[in-house]
Amino acid sequence: MKTIAKIYTDFPEKFGIPRQSGLVEGLTGRIVFEPEYRNPDALRGLEQFSHIWLLWKFSQTEREKWTATVRGPRSGGKTHVGVFATRSPYKPNDIGLSSVRLLKICMDEREGPVILGDGVDMADGTPIYDIKPYIPLCDCHPEASEGYTEKTQEHALKVDFPQELLVRYPKEKRDAVIGVLAQDSRPAYVMDPERIYGLSFAGYDVKFRVEGDRLTVVDLL
C-alpha cells in the first residue's frame, strides 16, 4: 500500500473525532498529495462528483495484535461483538473508509492539486491510500438493514458553550466545534458527571463536563 496523500484536519488527536464521516458539517480537511502524485491529470473528472470515498490508515491506533471481539457501540462495555461486524480500527489491517463531501479542487503553487472535503472523521496528518468517486447508483442502498446499530443510534448532547469562550474560535469553526461536542466522544463505559474531559480541536483544548444529556464547556485553553 502506498500513501498517495495526507489529510490535514482540526484534530491533533483521535479523541473527539466523530465516530463516522459526515456526521458533523463544517469539519473540513485538506488533502495534499505526495510529490509523486501531484499530477492534475490524475484528478481529471473528479470535480463532477459531489462526494468521494477515502481509504486511509488508522495512524493513531496501531497495535501489534488484532482482537476478535470489541465493545459494541454505546454498549457501556457490557456487550462484545465480532470485530468484522464493526468499524473498529483494531483489525488485522489498519484501513479506514470514509465518505466525504467534495467542496473543491484547487491548484496550489507549492503543493499542486489540493482537495478540500467536508464531514471528515480523521486526525491531522492521516495518510490517504486511495480516493474514489461516490456513485449513488451503486453506493447508496436505502433498503439496507442496520443490524445491531439500529438500537445504538448516535445521540446528540445539548451543548452549553459560554459565549465568552466560544468567540475565541473563528466564526467558521464555531458550529463545527459545537457539532463535535454534541456527538459525545466519551467511551460508553466512562460516564462520570464530575469528570472534566479535554478535547483538542482547531488549536484549542476544550474542557467540558457532561451530566445527563447536557454538555457544559468550562474552559478553553
Side-chain angles (χ1 to χ4, degrees):
M1 297 286 283
K2 297 180 180 179
T3 296
I4 65 165
K6 289 184 179 178
I7 187 168
Y8 297 95
T9 74
D10 288 318
F11 294 102
E13 56 189 31
K14 64 180 181 179
F15 181 74
I17 297 177
R19 292 175 171 83
Q20 308 292 343
S21 58
L23 289 178
V24 181
E25 292 186 4
L27 292 185
T28 57
R30 294 179 70 251
I31 300 173
V32 179
F33 288 88
E34 296 294 286
E36 181 181 354
Y37 304 105
R38 293 177 183 175
N39 186 336
D41 288 340
L43 301 179
R44 188 185 302 171
L46 188 63
E47 74 283 350
Q48 300 177 40
F49 295 88
S50 65
H51 292 72
I52 55 177
W53 289 109
L54 301 178
L55 278 75
W56 46 277
K57 175 183 175 64
F58 280 106
S59 56
Q60 294 195 11
T61 54
E62 294 183 357
R63 281 189 173 186
E64 292 184 2
K65 296 182 179 180
W66 69 285
T67 55
T69 61
V70 296
R71 291 187 177 101
R74 304 294 185 191
S75 68
K78 299 178 181 179
T79 304
H80 283 69
V81 294
V83 69
F84 296 128
T86 73
R87 297 187 178 186
S88 165
Y90 304 120
K91 300 191 176 192
N93 295 304
D94 51 1
I95 300 173
L97 175 67
S98 298
S99 173
V100 303
R101 187 158 63 95
L102 196 163
L103 296 177
K104 64 179 179 179
I105 302 173
C106 54
M107 283 296 300
D108 183 272
E109 185 176 343
R110 183 174 60 88
E111 298 173 324
V114 175
I115 298 175
L116 183 65
D118 180 61
V120 303
D121 59 343
M122 287 156 277
D124 188 50
T126 293
I128 303 294
Y129 286 140
D130 197 15
I131 299 169
K132 302 178 187 293
Y134 178 96
I135 304 174
L137 176 65
C138 52
D139 293 345
C140 181
H141 302 280
E143 77 287 358
S145 61
E146 296 187 47
Y148 66 85
T149 61
E150 187 173 5
K151 298 179 181 179
T152 57
Q153 292 297 313
E154 301 293 328
H155 65 284
L157 297 174
K158 299 174 183 177
V159 178
D160 181 7
F161 206 132
Q163 189 65 18
E164 63 270 21
L165 296 177
L166 184 61
V167 293
R168 297 187 193 177
Y169 272 111
K171 288 184 178 180
E172 66 272 15
K173 299 293 183 183
R174 294 173 190 173
D175 287 343
V177 68
I178 291 174
V180 168
L181 293 169
Q183 292 298 314
D184 194 359
S185 303
R186 301 170 301 158
Y189 50 90
V190 181
M191 298 292 177
D192 183 358
E194 300 299 321
R195 179 172 177 176
I196 294 180
Y197 300 85
L199 185 155
S200 297
F201 179 79
Y204 287 99
D205 188 18
V206 185
K207 300 295 185 181
F208 64 92
R209 180 184 289 115
V210 181
E211 184 171 2
D213 65 348
R214 182 169 295 276
L215 180 151
T216 302
V217 176
V218 298
D219 204 354
L220 201 63
L221 303 177

